[in-house]
Amino acid sequence: MIHEAVPPKSIDENERQLFRNTVGKVKPLKSNKTLLRTGDKPKPVPRRRSIELHAIHDNCGHPTLHHDDSVSFIANGVRRDVIKNLRRGQYEIEADLDLHGQTAYQAKQTLLQFLQFSTRHSLRCVHIIHGKGYRSPDSYPILKNKVDGWLRQHPDVLAFCSSTLTDGGTGAIYVLLR
């Protein structure tokens, strides 16, 4: 397809007058430089540091949890009634994560990415399913113990506890984030 050059449109006197009436009286600028802001510049907001995999340790020194043991944690400075409400399931769950079938390494990566996503999107309460560990070697709940330790170390976790029976009981937890 060949395009021919179109000559520039000429503006007749009626259009020119309509433009002048619409725009009104103008005066030329004294300078072609414009000051956009006055006063002090705002202080920069520091970037939120991402949690590195190696920053969250696997061995936390916490007691070993069994299948039916419930978990509970509340960070320093958080009111006690927060954990009571969390335990009752009174916070709206805004996202879920199921770690079933993952290795400890995969679960750690998935969990930290999920928490980073959740805090970035201002999610306050999330639900994490780690399972009870019935199919683990020696019926020892590996992920349950690991998740408990990882969450205790995470700076954005305010509180967590085992979920209600309808949401998985001792095989899942509610997590309250900053």
Side-chain angles (χ1 to χ4, degrees):
M1 180 187 269
I2 301 174
H3 295 283
E4 293 182 28
V6 178
K9 183 179 175 183
S10 62
I11 301 174
D12 69 2
E13 192 55 40
N14 288 338
E15 288 176 332
R16 190 180 307 277
Q17 191 59 40
L18 177 64
F19 177 78
R20 290 285 168 215
N21 289 341
T22 304
V23 172
K25 232 179 176 185
V26 295
K27 61 179 182 178
L29 294 174
K30 295 178 184 175
S31 169
N32 64 354
K33 295 180 182 179
T34 304
L35 180 62
L36 297 177
R37 287 191 191 142
T38 59
D40 295 336
K41 290 183 180 180
K43 292 181 179 179
V45 177
R47 283 190 184 161
R48 192 171 173 90
R49 63 180 176 86
S50 64
I51 303 297
E52 297 294 328
L53 285 177
H54 59 80
I56 304 292
H57 303 287
D58 287 333
N59 293 332
C60 311
H62 295 289
T64 302
L65 299 168
H66 298 287
H67 302 294
D68 295 323
D69 291 346
S70 59
V71 296
S72 183
F73 167 81
I74 189 163
N76 290 334
V78 178
R79 294 188 336 253
R80 286 277 177 224
D81 61 329
V82 169
I83 196 76
K84 287 178 186 175
N85 293 335
L86 188 62
R87 190 174 285 119
R88 291 179 189 144
Q90 292 184 348
Y91 291 98
E92 180 184 351
I93 296 172
E94 298 173 290
D96 293 285
L97 175 66
D98 190 344
L99 298 173
H100 277 113
Q102 295 189 11
T103 65
Y105 179 77
Q106 291 168 334
K108 184 178 182 181
Q109 288 182 319
T110 305
L111 176 68
L112 293 178
Q113 289 170 358
F114 176 72
L115 293 175
Q116 187 177 32
F117 170 86
S118 298
T119 54
R120 189 178 324 123
H121 289 88
S122 302
L123 303 182
R124 182 107 165 111
C125 184
V126 295
H127 180 235
I128 299 171
I129 303 165
H130 47 67
K132 294 186 178 186
Y134 288 132
R135 288 182 271 162
S136 297
D138 299 326
S139 294
Y140 169 76
I142 296 169
L143 287 184
K144 181 176 185 172
N145 281 281
K146 297 278 190 187
V147 168
D148 177 72
W150 296 331
L151 290 176
R152 288 175 187 272
Q153 299 174 63
H154 200 285
D156 292 323
V157 173
L158 295 176
F160 65 85
C161 65
S162 294
S163 64
T164 61
L165 285 176
T166 57
D167 285 333
T170 58
I173 52 176
Y174 300 129
V175 182
L176 192 65
L177 301 169
R178 280 189 204 285

